[in-house]
Amino acid sequence: MARRMLRSLILALGLLAPLAADDVVMVVANGSELQEISAREISALFTGMTRTVGLRIARPAVLRQGGAHQSFLDRYIGKSPAQYYNWWKRLVFTGKADFPKAFDSEEQMAAFLAENPSYIGYLSPGHVTGDLKVLTVRE
Amino acid sequence: MHHQGPSVFHPWTRPGWKTLVRGLLAVFTALSAAGGLGAVEPSLEIHGSLAQSYLSSTHNDILFPGTEHGSFEFSEAYLNASRSIGEKLRVGAQILSRDYGPEGNHDVQLDWGYGDYFFNEKLGMRVGKIRLPLGFYNEYRDVDSARTELLLPQEVYREGLRSFILAYTGVGIYGKLGKGLRAGDVDYHLYVGTLNIPDDVQFVQPLRRSHNAPAMGLETDRVYGGSLFWNTGLKGLRLGFSAARFRGHYDIDSPALFYSPLHAPFLSERGLLQEAEPKVVGVEYQRGRWTLASEYQIFQRKAEYSADFKRAYAQPIIAAAERSARAGGADAATAATAGQAAGDKALAGLNVGSFAFDSQGWYASLSCQFDDRWSAFLRYGEYLAERSQRSTPSLRRDDYAMGLRRDFGVHWRAKAELHLFDGSAGALAVRGNPIADSWSLLALRVSFDF
């Protein structure tokens, strides 16, 4: 009985604890006027709940998989990759939005962002190239 | 801990899917090119889904006739295409083929289709056929991948009313207010238009039966309403309020009606009017893998004869009574009184045929996504077909529901859920059997989307 209660307690604490997240940075092209973004704006933009950051129209770019993608979802979205995909389906299947631009690798994402200043993406710090700048994230 | 998640986001763009949708893509690309609007980023999105369900109930039928013996007559297929034209304009449409008991029978129809212009964060406009925002989930009630449950809570999202409240055809404005405030922001959506109600919608069936009018359809005069969803400052918590007001009239087109004095006047325009006014308030809290949701709905419906019809119906009865009184020697005033009394009596009898429902329902649900494959939910709901008669078993239903969902990759999923009911509001009698007050429903579904 005590063991079962302990197991339940550990499970409950595990659910409430902040999820572990590796480093991931928000990036845009050097040509973008954007310098900073809030965590709430990131969440809203990448879940299709807003189309602007500040007063500018912005578009999200996402990775399909990998550590940076998982860290990004853990830190800013609070959904698993499958939950995140299903979230977007509800927007797409009601005509409210298109799926975000998606990439298989961080290299592809970095190359795309460098040439498209209206997009915001995320990368692990090691993949930030000279064409990109890291946004300051306000919590 | 990291894991390599499944490859997600528009996998349809892979060669296999391109082959499948090549024809549609060519058509839409040609159309958009013809528009010459200079798309910033030409992109056509095409997606679709398929779902097949099986329902098996004990003692009573539920949702539609035949479920007590098990029924596969619950299937849906959707195909949609959308395209962004520039940064602010989007156009799209979805076609639907659906079978739901006696409704649908896989006729292909436009599910939604509209143009959406985004002025700024506070204001956007949509024109066309648009999903109606009622409660948190009505707009995407058919997106099977969006929820753990197979059936949405029938206390608020009754399948029998789906065709009635699914979408409006008209103009809507939407936007987000209060963006950046610590207290959160509010998404609003206001609209006015009409509803396209199929002739086979179950909503009309009781009136059809009571009036022996199989060809009776419901035409919309207008519908308007709106929704406010407050995304609070507490991450994952949102509150919602939505309401709609509908007014329409029944349209009867059947020569057989001439045989009945009661039914003949329906042939006059707008003889029988229908009003409906659903309102929903709700709260949803999503944290990590858990989602807690509760909504409450009041749905007032009233069908009544129009004043013009009442006058036309009573006039010959009043005249006959006056003639009879005069023939008996009554003076003009007495004859008029007798005529009015006869008219009132006739109209009182006629009003028996009017329908007024004031129903309410609420539910509370808890769902958990254990991992990317398994999720489950528990839910309790209470529905009162008539709010004032809480203790009448035939007008009340308690639904204890539980279910499991299993995903196979990101495109396929299977669901199974069990409902235990107390009370029989909304239940349908199985031929030859009385309606039972304690019964159950097993529902299974397999669905696919791309």
Side-chain angles (χ1 to χ4, degrees):
Chain A
M1 184 65 180
R3 184 179 297 175
R4 191 181 303 167
M5 285 180 63
L6 184 61
R7 192 187 303 160
S8 300
L9 183 62
I10 291 170
L11 182 62
L13 289 173
L15 293 171
L16 293 172
L19 294 164
D22 281 354
D23 281 343
V24 63
V25 292
M26 305 304 299
V27 290
V28 292
N30 279 333
S32 170
E33 295 177 13
L34 213 56
Q35 302 294 335
E36 59 176 24
I37 188 170
S38 72
R40 192 188 289 179
E41 284 175 321
I42 295 170
S43 175
L45 181 69
F46 281 82
T47 53
M49 301 303 287
T50 186
R51 290 195 232 176
T52 60
V53 174
L55 295 175
R56 298 180 191 85
I57 289 182
R59 298 180 177 203
V62 302
L63 293 165
R64 290 197 173 95
Q65 59 199 359
H69 182 52
Q70 185 71 50
S71 297
F72 169 76
L73 294 180
D74 289 346
R75 181 173 296 180
Y76 296 112
I77 309 297
K79 297 182 190 299
S80 71
Q83 281 178 310
Y84 187 52
Y85 183 44
N86 286 331
W87 172 269
W88 274 97
K89 283 182 188 175
R90 71 172 68 180
L91 301 177
V92 170
F93 276 82
T94 50
K96 289 184 170 180
D98 296 331
F99 280 125
K101 196 85 178 169
F103 300 91
D104 287 323
S105 71
E106 295 188 64
E107 288 80 6
Q108 289 175 356
M109 166 98 93
F112 175 82
L113 290 173
E115 295 183 358
N116 292 276
S118 65
Y119 281 82
I120 299 176
Y122 50 86
L123 296 168
S124 49
H127 284 88
V128 179
T129 62
D131 303 328
L132 302 173
K133 63 180 171 186
V134 175
L135 295 174
T136 302
V137 177
R138 289 177 275 112
E139 294 299 333
Chain B
M1 186 177 75
H2 296 144
H3 67 272
Q4 295 293 313
S7 180
V8 298
F9 287 104
H10 48 75
W12 70 272
T13 54
R14 287 169 187 161
W17 294 114
K18 279 185 178 170
T19 303
L20 256 179
V21 301
R22 189 178 295 151
L24 273 174
L25 190 137
V27 170
F28 277 87
T29 304
L31 284 174
S32 56
L37 293 174
V40 168
E41 183 198 331
S43 65
L44 180 72
E45 295 273 342
I46 297 180
H47 302 281
S49 67
L50 293 167
Q52 175 63 57
S53 305
Y54 173 78
L55 304 174
S56 178
S57 59
T58 61
H59 304 299
N60 308 324
D61 281 339
I62 179 74
L63 302 179
F64 52 79
T67 58
E68 204 233 9
H69 303 292
S71 176
F72 285 99
E73 286 189 76
F74 191 6
S75 56
E76 299 163 324
Y78 298 88
L79 185 67
N80 68 61
S82 63
R83 190 182 195 287
S84 295
I85 302 171
E87 286 191 319
K88 296 193 170 186
L89 179 63
R90 292 185 74 254
V91 293
Q94 177 163 284
I95 55 173
L96 153 73
S97 172
R98 188 172 193 257
D99 186 28
Y100 176 71
E103 291 184 28
N105 295 317
H106 289 303
D107 291 341
V108 177
Q109 54 187 274
L110 179 69
D111 189 40
W112 54 259
Y114 59 84
D116 178 338
Y117 192 81
F118 177 80
F119 292 98
N120 55 50
E121 199 69 38
K122 293 177 181 171
L123 181 64
M125 177 181 284
R126 295 184 182 123
V127 178
K129 186 174 183 182
I130 301 154
R131 283 292 177 97
L132 193 144
L134 187 66
F136 287 131
Y137 311 117
N138 191 54
E139 289 177 275
Y140 49 92
R141 61 186 300 156
D142 305 312
V143 186
D144 195 50
S145 57
R147 62 177 184 272
T148 303
E149 301 102 312
L150 189 161
L151 290 173
L152 280 170
Q154 295 300 293
E155 297 76 23
V156 174
Y157 304 96
R158 293 177 60 193
E159 282 297 327
L161 293 173
R162 176 189 177 280
S163 300
F164 184 67
I165 58 173
L166 184 69
Y168 67 90
T169 301
V171 180
I173 59 172
Y174 67 94
K176 185 184 286 293
L177 304 175
K179 186 180 174 188
L181 295 180
R182 188 171 292 275
D185 50 51
V186 174
D187 292 314
Y188 75 89
H189 184 169
L190 304 172
Y191 57 87
V192 62
T194 61
L195 302 178
N196 291 319
I197 304 169
D199 285 344
D200 58 3
V201 62
Q202 291 187 48
F203 182 78
V204 181
Q205 300 304 329
L207 279 168
R208 280 182 171 158
R209 282 195 294 272
S210 70
H211 291 87
N212 188 28
M216 185 160 65
L218 182 55
E219 302 292 330
T220 312
D221 295 328
R222 65 174 179 274
V223 64
Y224 59 89
S227 64
L228 295 171
F229 295 133
W230 175 22
N231 309 299
T232 71
L234 177 59
K235 190 176 179 182
L237 176 65
R238 63 174 180 154
L239 308 175
F241 170 75
S242 48
R245 183 169 175 79
F246 165 87
R247 187 172 175 86
H249 65 275
Y250 286 91
D251 189 21
I252 298 183
D253 181 20
S254 170
L257 298 171
F258 281 112
Y259 299 135
S260 162
L262 175 63
H263 301 144
F266 280 125
L267 292 171
S268 65
E269 273 290 300
R270 301 170 190 273
L272 183 58
L273 307 177
Q274 175 75 58
E275 290 184 340
E277 194 172 322
K279 301 186 193 79
V280 183
V281 294
V283 56
E284 182 191 71
Y285 182 56
Q286 197 258 326
R287 183 186 173 92
R289 63 190 70 188
W290 296 92
T291 302
L292 184 64
S294 183
E295 290 183 286
Y296 170 79
Q297 183 190 62
I298 294 177
F299 201 145
Q300 294 166 300
R301 285 177 286 162
K302 184 171 66 175
E304 62 180 8
Y305 299 105
S306 69
D308 285 348
F309 163 69
K310 286 179 180 176
R311 269 195 297 277
Y313 181 78
Q315 196 277 331
I317 296 169
I318 293 170
E322 286 180 352
R323 278 196 303 274
S324 175
R326 283 204 187 100
D331 58 23
T334 307
T337 304
Q340 194 58 50
D344 291 345
K345 185 178 178 185
L347 288 176
L350 188 61
N351 281 335
V352 173
S354 295
F355 278 71
F357 299 101
D358 193 359
S359 64
Q360 77 172 32
W362 73 276
Y363 72 89
S365 71
L366 176 67
S367 60
C368 179
Q369 176 130 16
F370 299 110
D371 54 32
D372 283 351
R373 292 181 299 173
W374 290 99
S375 54
F377 79 94
L378 291 170
R379 191 173 73 213
Y380 168 74
E382 178 196 74
Y383 173 70
L384 301 176
E386 181 55 55
R387 295 171 63 201
S388 60
Q389 300 188 43
R390 174 176 288 273
S391 58
T392 307
S394 62
L395 296 175
R396 175 196 177 103
R397 185 184 66 225
D398 296 285
D399 178 2
Y400 302 86
M402 65 204 79
L404 270 178
R405 164 177 164 168
R406 169 70 156 88
D407 285 80
F408 303 91
V410 293
H411 300 298
W412 287 92
R413 67 203 62 83
K415 297 180 178 181
E417 66 187 46
L418 179 66
H419 297 253
L420 304 174
F421 297 111
D422 280 335
S424 58
L428 305 169
V430 177
R431 187 181 293 276
N433 297 326
I435 283 188
D437 286 336
S438 184
W439 49 299
S440 62
L441 167 71
L442 173 67
L444 307 171
R445 173 179 285 174
V446 175
S447 68
F448 165 80
D449 58 40
F450 64 90

